[in-house]
Amino acid sequence: MRKVSIFGATGSIGQNTIDLIRRAPGAYDVVALTGGANIARLAEDAIALQADVAVTAYDDRLPDLRAALAGSGVEAAAGQAALVEAAARPADWIMSAIVGAAGLAPGLEALKHGTTLALANKESLVCAGRLLLETAEKHSARLLPVDSEHSAVFQGLVGEDIEAVERIVITASGGAFRDWPLEDLPKATLAQASSHPNWDMGQRITIDSASMFNKALEVIETREYFGVRPDQIEVLVHPESLVHALVGFNDGALMAHLGAADMRHAIGYALHWPDRQHLPVERLDLARIGQLNFRAPDPARYPALRQAYEVMERGGMMGAAFNAAKEQALDAFIAGRIPFTGMAAVTEAVLERFAAESSLIDAAMTLDNVTRVDHLARQEAARAAEKQIG
């Protein structure tokens, strides 16, 4: 039996991972499940999967978790240190699906133990891609992409030479406001931004889809993971969300990855890699679908994309500053303190502020330094948000 752990088990990626594991009884020994505030779901899944330990990220929810696990034999733990300790427990495969920069420390710890890390936490590569990749190499660990776009690229490169790649195209649904008049965007409400036209996801990722901040992070992730130049990375708006990515080669060929909008595609590929196994996902009927549409993203509608290329041009730990600013700006929008378009204004202010901080941005990429940049960028983003209110 393969030993597996799932970090971010109560989110959509974690729940889809659990679905696949439950479909193969006796194939997996679950070591650790971690989650946030959804204690009931975390405890229920930990008991059902007979996990060794369940960890909530919130220290104050430990009594609730202990109560929910009472008599089950599953250990309860809480807090950041407990997350890192869980990542150090021997496992063959770990799903990293914690949202945000909080997923970096557990992911690094897992890699230090030579684990195969299935990475759905794009923020880790954005904040500290070089650190993650160097840690994996040093400890003979492996990083497998789980974002659907990067899994698609990864699959498209099987048996190919990266030197033959001319471009990588990742697709975006365009989000809730892809067809809105630009002048209406400042008036977009939280409820409108939280409703995706194609599927149901968590609130934060749905809003990030509407602003395309998620795609901005994925552009940076593409550069970090595959080592291509920024000018080799393109984004296309693809409303049907069936083509996840395309790889363009030096002979002019484009290799596309198509599949239903179901994260079990990418999760299952990483779970079973290097083999393919049957997955319980929809099979596309292209005759019924009839046509696929693509268009270039509007820079005025999605300023986050421009910012992503500026981040890559600056390099260093600018990605950590950008991600922290994005998370802080999203918090401010959800709290009703800034308008939808104010999020890009916040990240713009932070990038301008940190562009001149060479001693900070170009410092050695260590977890401590990344954490420091993250903290300072969040402070700067909070100030930028307050100026909008004022």
Side-chain angles (χ1 to χ4, degrees), residues 238-262:
H238 171 48
E240 292 85 4
S241 297
L242 298 177
V243 177
H244 303 300
L246 305 97
V247 180
F249 296 95
N250 57 11
D251 61 357
L254 275 172
M255 188 178 296
H257 179 285
L258 286 79
D262 188 329

Side-chain angles (χ1 to χ4, degrees), residues 331-349:
D331 288 342
F333 172 65
I334 291 174
R337 297 197 300 272
I338 61 174
F340 177 78
T341 50
M343 291 187 289
V346 167
T347 52
E348 187 77 26

Side-chain angles (χ1 to χ4, degrees), residues 20 264-269 271-272 277-283:
L20 293 179
R264 291 177 298 178
H265 271 293
I267 296 167
Y269 187 81
L271 183 62
H272 302 306
Q277 293 190 22
H278 174 84
L279 293 175
V281 298
E282 177 189 353
R283 273 51 177 171

